[in-house]
Amino acid sequence: MQNSTNNKHFDAARHVSGLSQFLDDMSIPEGTLHAAVFYAKVGHGHIKNLNTAPALAHKGVHAVLTASDIRGENQIGGIIPDEPLLADGDVHFWGQPIAVVVAETAALAREAALAIECDIEALSVITDPREAAAQGQLIMPARTVETGNVDAVWSECDIVIEDKAESGGQEHLYLETQGAFAVPTEGGGVRIVSSTQGPTAVQRAAAKVLGLPMHLIEVDVLRLGGGFGGKEDQATPWAIMAAMAALKLNRAVKLTLPRQEDMRMTGKRHPYSSDFKIGLTKTGKILALEATFYQDAGAAADLSPAVLDRTLFHCTNSYFIPNVRATGISCRTNVPPNTAFRGFGGPQGMFLIEAAIYRAAEAMSVEASVIQRANLLRDGDTFPYGQVTERCQAERTWDETAQTFALKAAQKRVTDFNAQNILYKKGIAVMPICFGISFTNTMMNQASALVHIYSDGSVSVSTGAVEMGQGVNTKIAQTAMMIFGLPEERIKVQTTNTSRAANTSPTAASAGADLNGKATEIACVALRERLLALARTELRGTADDTLTFHQEKVWHNGVETSLTWNILVQTAFFQRVKLSEQAQYATPLIHFDKTTMKGRPFAYHVYGTAIFEVTVDCLRGVYEVESVQAVHDFGQSFNHTVDLGQAEGGIMQGIGWMTMEEVIYGENGRLLTDALSTYKIPDIYAAPKRIDVRFLENSENPMGIMNSKAVGEPPFMYGIGAYFALMNALKAFRPDKRLLLKAPMSPERVLMELYAAAPVNT
Ligand code: MTE
Ligand code: HPA
Ligand code: MOS
């Protein structure tokens, strides 16, 4: 079903003409005050003295808030209560908020913050997760996912390899930095406009810290200039700070973080350092995998436990491995609490198995693709966490990719090129993906929608979904359009507001469109059935007649009638027929037992396979991604443009994580890469010269909205293919060197690997 509407993002025209509103574009009332955050410049320490008086005396300053101004609980930890809003006593990371300065302008507030006197007695700083684990600094007890009998099977393996794999952090770099705007409301409440993926998360935490019932706090979100997981949990503190100041001063207060402060104060993708042991038969069947993940959680839990679960679930990627023991250790370090980031721990798990396969291929002197293909999941295979594969597309996407893009010929071309060239080497790698869709925490898989049909026939839809560029509002509008047979301009997807959609899950886990779209579908279908029942009377038809909506009219057995949508809605209104509907959707079938780490956590899985080809300049260490070619499982996509945009954007972000983005903290815990001059993200020159993502055909998915599959995160993980393509190119130049399994493979690291003094064979 291809037409013009299912081939665009409904915000596209507004975005490119500058009419889309973000937090900073909203008109604010005259007299609004502005807040700035004063934060720790020590990685770990004890606050001995905090004197805010000099800041308060500064020009234009109305208040300086500290932990002692908190009326409720100084606690924002969502999963584990281990994180204060404002430091009290101790500080645990460089950049931790200590005080909020409120002034006439943001510039005055920032200036005044510099006057705050704060003596902090420095304590020892840990920035390495293994060191944290060695010192017993754990966020929670270790978790293990286990299947088969790993210990018993090593003796049956022809090849057993042990090594270490490491992947780095990643800055979200949403275009719009964190921020919020708060206005006091009648009766002691507050209205917060926030750039958050989780309006309810903000509302709940604000209620706790402000000491107010949730019904006195209204959170409203129009759209975000990107979130990528960085605003699932970490949009909350700024919203509460603005609200606290607004309530204290009885004035509107706005707080937005300048880029550098945003980078310093917020957490990122979790770096992982992991050990693995993999065992295979000589024909390349993987019999066992043992993995221990050291997750760098940062100074507080934030979402780390949930991120760790997904790492454990995805550490076998698209492969069936009968014996697995995967252990996750969440380590407390003195860096900002790391948080959700596209893939949510999945990429780190998948990097490990691909690293293990890379080593196995090396030992067996075969292409990694031989081992990868031989171990792909099939229908009926059980994942280590107990879920059984259904409608598995691992082999199909692999074979279609290999055939469509002539994998064998490409591999030969690369080998030939490398035989003929000394200073340029090419590398090729295949990257299959398998990503589970649903929040791993079962209770979070619910959403609601509130649909009104106004008496003029226009339709208003409110859900818990937050638009952050991914196109969820487009998909929700399309759902209503299809059910009501209305054009785009008759549907309005409203702001996401806690008074219209309560108890919502954050828009995350790629499940935003499925969950909120399904809730919208339920509400719209109920309205359609009610209106069509009325139409049946109006048209004096019989009960078994097929009536449908199409092109703003009622159709009877496929033939247009004279009854228009507008007339029918008006008739309904005059006859006092209910024109509003509220609905809830809760994903069926899923369940998970946290004590055994078994169950069916996911509604379904998304599959796909990509081929990466790179060329390395072995003199300079620089490289180019020649091509990314993939067959991806979108289910029955109902918006090709949006979905392709998600796939291409995800791939670029994945390439950035694996090849060039490097989050570096100094020994004192200070972020050294806190600006775009020191933190390199992919630009147009880093983009693959060719990127060709095809839609897998005939993939049905009744668990997805309109038979589609979630697309937000899965393509990110193709980026891992860029790393292994680079590894293969490097190996062609230095076949004697055992290359480290350590991402990102920056040009600097390429040179270090290529020109290491002596072959390293450990
Ligand atoms: N795409 C854009 N343009 N901006 C974003 O912030 N976030 C990603 C993905 N795609 C993001 C994006 C992440 S981390 C998730 S979980 C999903 O979108 C969330 O949206 P969905 O559930 O509607 O797919
Ligand atoms: N994905 C993303 N965000 C989440 C999840 C998840 O599985 N669980 C809790 N928050
Ligand atoms: Mo996405 S990391 O689940 O917000």
Side-chain angles (χ1 to χ4, degrees):
M1 197 181 25
Q2 196 83 349
N3 63 39
S4 61
T5 50
N6 65 29
N7 249 327
K8 69 173 188 189
H9 188 303
F10 290 176
D11 280 344
R14 269 187 294 268
H15 280 353
V16 296
S17 57
L19 294 174
S20 296
Q21 292 212 343
F22 299 88
L23 191 81
D24 232 23
D25 301 309
M26 287 169 197
S27 51
I28 51 175
E30 202 175 321
T32 296
L33 298 173
H34 299 263
V37 182
F38 172 77
Y39 54 93
K41 307 251 171 31
V42 166
H44 184 199
H46 184 69
I47 301 176
K48 294 181 67 183
N49 175 46
L50 177 63
N51 180 13
T52 58
L56 198 55
H58 197 275
K59 181 179 158 215
V61 172
H62 286 242
V64 182
L65 311 176
T66 63
S68 62
D69 292 287
I70 290 170
R71 294 212 222 133
E73 264 181 81
N74 185 12
Q75 185 50 251
I76 56 168
I79 299 180
I80 298 173
D82 66 350
E83 189 178 0
L85 176 73
L86 295 169
D88 192 7
D90 290 332
V91 296
H92 295 277
F93 64 93
W94 205 102
Q96 184 172 351
I98 297 173
V100 182
V101 182
V102 193
E104 305 279 335
T105 69
L108 285 173
R110 256 168 230 132
E111 234 174 75
L114 296 174
I116 292 179
E117 291 163 7
C118 185
D119 292 339
I120 301 179
E121 180 191 336
L123 298 170
S124 65
V125 169
I126 303 176
T127 57
D128 175 61
R130 288 186 192 252
E131 191 189 327
Q135 295 194 17
Q137 290 294 325
L138 303 186
I139 296 287
M140 56 176 185
R143 286 185 184 170
T144 301
V145 169
E146 190 161 9
T147 190
N149 188 343
V150 180
D151 299 320
V153 90
W154 300 119
S155 58
E156 290 168 34
C157 298
D158 300 307
I159 296 125
V160 176
I161 294 166
E162 289 182 67
D163 206 344
K164 185 171 134 177
E166 295 187 302
S167 57
Q170 186 175 26
E171 164 63 41
H172 300 86
L173 223 95
Y174 22 67
L175 279 179
E176 179 192 42
T177 57
Q178 304 275 5
F181 166 70
V183 196
T185 52
E186 186 184 280
V190 64
R191 181 170 192 275
I192 306 171
V193 180
S194 165
S195 180
T196 179
Q197 290 173 239
T200 295
V202 169
Q203 183 195 26
R204 194 180 288 128
K208 190 175 195 175
V209 178
L210 301 172
L212 291 175
M214 284 171 77
H215 71 205
L216 284 185
I217 298 165
E218 178 186 358
V219 180
D220 193 79
V221 184
L222 172 52
R223 66 160 68 71
L224 317 187
F228 304 109
K231 296 171 182 171
E232 178 174 341
D233 228 32
Q234 299 206 358
T236 299
W238 330 109
I240 304 178
M241 289 174 199
M244 239 176 98
L247 287 173
K248 176 165 176 131
L249 298 166
N250 203 25
R251 295 272 289 269
V253 175
K254 187 171 167 182
L255 195 175
T256 52
L257 296 185
R259 176 66 64 188
Q260 192 168 50
E261 293 191 1
D262 185 304
M263 291 176 86
R264 287 172 173 178
M265 290 194 260
T266 65
K268 310 174 195 312
R269 180 183 298 285
H270 296 75
Y272 276 67
S273 179
S274 314
D275 297 318
F276 66 81
K277 183 172 176 183
I278 187 170
L280 306 89
T281 65
K282 54 179 175 289
T283 58
K285 268 271 168 214
I286 305 173
L287 294 184
L289 175 73
E290 187 172 5
T292 306
F293 294 94
Y294 294 88
Q295 178 198 50
D296 182 350
D302 191 273
L303 292 163
S304 298
V307 169
L308 191 65
D309 284 345
R310 202 176 267 278
T311 301
L312 300 180
F313 293 162
H314 286 59
C315 74
T316 54
N317 190 14
S318 319
Y319 311 109
F320 173 65
I321 307 181
N323 304 284
V324 176
R325 180 160 62 228
T327 301
I329 303 172
S330 187
C331 311
R332 195 186 297 275
T333 61
N334 298 110
V335 302
N338 287 315
T339 193
F341 197 142
R342 209 172 196 167
F344 204 77
Q348 294 94 322
M350 285 157 69
F351 180 73
L352 179 126
I353 181 64
E354 295 302 328
I357 290 175
Y358 176 87
R359 275 288 184 261
E362 222 171 26
M364 295 170 67
S365 300
V366 295
E367 294 258 7
S369 58
V370 174
I371 300 175
Q372 290 173 308
R373 177 64 187 86
N375 290 281
L376 289 175
L377 284 161
R378 296 188 184 152
D379 272 338
D381 285 342
T382 305
F383 288 98
Y385 47 89
Q387 183 158 351
V388 179
T389 47
E390 288 167 53
R391 299 172 205 262
C392 181
Q393 308 288 7
E395 293 190 319
R396 264 192 77 208
T397 59
W398 179 289
D399 292 341
E400 289 192 19
T401 298
Q403 200 193 344
T404 310
F405 302 109
L407 174 63
K408 280 235 165 66
Q411 285 171 326
K412 180 169 186 311
R413 193 164 31 72
V414 166
T415 310
D416 292 348
F417 178 95
N418 289 342
Q420 287 154 18
N421 290 272
I422 295 169
L423 292 177
Y424 285 90
K425 294 293 181 188
K426 282 189 187 292
I428 187 165
V430 189
M431 182 63 203
I433 58 154
C434 168
F435 193 79
I437 301 302
S438 289
F439 286 94
T440 54
N441 183 355
T442 302
M443 66 75 51
M444 292 176 81
N445 295 286
Q446 52 177 322
S448 68
L450 175 63
V451 179
H452 300 308
I453 303 172
Y454 293 105
S455 57
D456 68 351
S458 65
V459 177
S460 155
V461 183
S462 297
T463 73
V466 168
E467 175 62 43
M468 54 187 125
Q470 86 279 38
V472 69
N473 281 359
T474 299
K475 289 182 177 179
I476 286 169
Q478 278 184 279
T479 300
M481 284 161 60
M482 288 186 226
I483 295 167
F484 293 144
L486 295 174
E488 179 189 341
E489 59 274 14
R490 313 251 21 217
I491 316 280
K492 168 82 177 156
V493 178
Q494 308 287 358
T495 61
T496 315
N497 185 296
T498 52
S499 300
R500 274 177 272 112
N503 308 320
T504 61
S505 293
T507 299
S510 303
D514 278 354
L515 296 174
N516 295 280
K518 290 261 188 189
T520 303
E521 182 181 16
I522 295 168
C524 292
V525 166
L527 285 163
R528 180 185 65 190
E529 294 319 304
R530 202 177 295 143
L531 285 172
L532 287 180
L534 178 64
R536 215 162 273 130
T537 335
E538 293 295 299
L539 293 167
R540 292 188 249 306
T542 57
D544 57 345
D545 282 351
T546 318
L547 293 186
T548 49
F549 287 128
H550 189 53
Q551 294 175 340
E552 300 185 69
K553 287 220 167 110
V554 176
W555 290 54
H556 176 231
N557 290 333
V559 183
E560 185 179 326
T561 71
S562 58
L563 185 54
T564 66
W565 168 265
N566 280 359
I567 299 282
L568 182 62
V569 168
Q570 268 176 38
T571 309
F573 179 56
F574 283 119
Q575 295 193 14
R576 297 181 292 169
V577 172
K578 185 180 164 199
L579 285 170
S580 295
E581 198 63 39
Q582 199 270 352
Q584 189 219 20
Y585 176 74
T587 311
L589 306 178
I590 55 173
H591 57 91
F592 193 71
D593 180 344
K594 284 180 182 163
T595 56
T596 58
M597 294 296 275
K598 298 272 182 197
R600 183 205 166 139
F602 300 122
Y604 57 90
H605 291 82
V606 172
Y607 298 87
T609 303
I611 304 174
F612 276 73
E613 202 178 313
V614 301
T615 308
V616 178
D617 175 338
C618 299
L619 263 188
R620 297 173 187 84
V622 293
Y623 44 75
E624 286 189 324
V625 180
E626 300 292 339
S627 61
V628 182
Q629 298 165 309
V631 173
H632 182 81
D633 175 16
F634 294 90
Q636 301 291 310
S637 168
F638 66 114
N639 194 316
H640 283 236
T641 308
V642 165
D643 284 352
L644 201 56
Q646 285 294 294
E648 293 181 352
I651 287 170
M652 275 308 298
Q653 210 168 27
I655 292 174
W657 173 54
M658 280 282 109
T659 68
M660 62 175 66
E661 295 182 44
E662 239 175 324
V663 176
I664 303 172
Y665 291 97
E667 276 178 17
N668 61 357
R670 178 181 168 168
L671 180 65
L672 301 176
T673 50
D674 61 1
L676 286 170
S677 52
T678 45
Y679 186 78
K680 179 81 185 112
I681 62 156
D683 54 21
I684 191 66
Y685 303 105
K689 289 189 204 156
R690 240 169 342 115
I691 180 159
D692 189 348
V693 180
R694 307 282 175 96
F695 290 70
L696 178 73
E697 284 176 9
N698 304 318
S699 170
E700 297 294 323
N701 182 34
M703 295 285 270
I705 178 67
M706 297 289 156
N707 237 328
S708 69
K709 282 198 176 184
V711 70
E713 293 165 289
F716 177 92
M717 281 146 279
Y718 289 131
I720 296 168
Y723 177 89
F724 289 99
L726 285 169
M727 289 286 275
N728 289 333
L730 300 196
K731 202 159 74 180
F733 188 82
R734 275 300 292 272
D736 60 318
K737 168 108 178 20
R738 189 176 160 102
L739 306 166
L740 287 179
L741 295 163
K742 185 174 178 193
M745 185 60 86
S746 61
E748 184 186 348
R749 279 231 28 249
V750 167
L751 285 179
M752 293 196 308
E753 291 285 1
L754 290 182
Y755 299 101
V760 182
N761 273 304
T762 47

